[in-house]
Amino acid sequence: MKNRKIFLLNNISDEGLKAFRDGYNTTGSLDDAHGALVRSADMKAMKFPPSLRAIARAGVGVNNIPLERCADEGIVVLNTPGANANAVKEMVIAGLMLASRDIVGGIEWVKNNANDPEIEEHAEKAKKAFSGCEVIGKKIGVIGLGAIGVLVANICAYLGMEVYGYDPYISVGSAWRLKREVRHEESIDELFEQCDYLTVHVPAVESNRDMINKLSFAKMKDGVRILNFSRGFIINEDDITEALKSGKVAKYVTDFATPKSVLMPNTVVTPHLGASTEEAEENCARMAVQEIQDYLDNGNIHHSVNYPDIDAGVCKVESRIACLHRNTPGMLGKLTAIMGEAEINIANMQNASRDKYAYTLMDIDTRITDEALDKIKAIEGMLRVRIVK
């Protein structure tokens, strides 16, 4: 197996890094690196060397990575969905309690009266100002039923809540994992109109910006309580500020501190603590390591955000050729024609596409000739070709 150099942009869990096989070495320099592991570091302005083949994000959000530029340069970007799901789920449940009862206000009262010798007696009188409601029997809408949303929906059902889920792109796996008590609605408006609580778990992509806005609030129950552990920009901050002032929204709990959110009334803001546990960081790092290693060693792609996923298993033939290219008609015909002219037998071929980009893996019985390899690289729309083995 070939030796590989992996560039670390952030502190990555040492336990996770142990998943690398012998021959992988981490480095603090991007020069000549074959892969990169990143958490939150901003890569948008970085120039990537020709050696870089993959970037793995130890987490889910990839808005710190220039996805299209990476695709154009033949760099596969991977993330780790589900690796931190339990940590975020637990934080959401904490947020659910913070939205239901004024725990923060009660704690602040105790701090402010810490020097009162009669605090015990005075607390009995003060506590009614911090009373709230129980969640059992209440309706909660879970917007987005991916790895985190499914866990949240299920635990809310265990808590005795009526759970309504919405996700037009729900996967078969997520659907199977949902408790049967969770009602999957066809329209997000049904959640807005019925639910006492709403919790958002959608991808942090530009198309979801301001997904919840003044039009959404107009459809909601008065006094609705909203949890946002997805991304701050999913909810229009100006619109929710007005909804909080009017009482349309009784409480807002968000994990995203912004200049606007920290000044909103009836709001609890935490500093992006959702996945901040030792276990989540270790899980994300281990998953990122496994993904980038499988791609570099076998050409397999799992959880890419800019190329399609493909798994051809471990290469057991003489050679495997990986072709990253644009999703254009006739590409497979051109590839097979070149291999036929060189009298090279293709033992197995896999191809998949994603939007403008596609990926082809070819297992062959002999070593590819330099001439055939050069012809493949010269195909219009071909972005990167490499011999995996």
Side-chain angles (χ1 to χ4, degrees), residues 1-4 21-24 53 296-297 367 386-389:
M1 301 291 280
K2 301 174 183 177
N3 292 333
R4 314 283 190 186
R21 65 164 174 80
D22 290 342
Y24 273 83
R53 298 168 185 164
L296 293 178
D297 286 353
R367 298 298 293 178
R386 71 183 179 101
I387 302 174
V388 177
K389 177 185 174 185

Side-chain angles (χ1 to χ4, degrees), residues 65 240 248 328 371:
I65 304 171
I240 195 168
K248 168 62 77 169
T328 54
E371 182 182 3

Side-chain angles (χ1 to χ4, degrees), residues 11-12 57 72 93 99 123 130 143 182 187 256 266 286 292 297 307 344 353 376 387 389:
N11 291 324
I12 305 295
R57 162 76 163 94
D72 288 336
I93 298 308
F130 311 112
I143 302 170
V182 178
S187 166
F256 306 100
N266 300 319
R286 184 182 295 108
I292 203 167
D297 286 353
Y307 275 98
I344 297 173
S353 62
I376 291 175
I387 302 174
K389 177 185 174 185

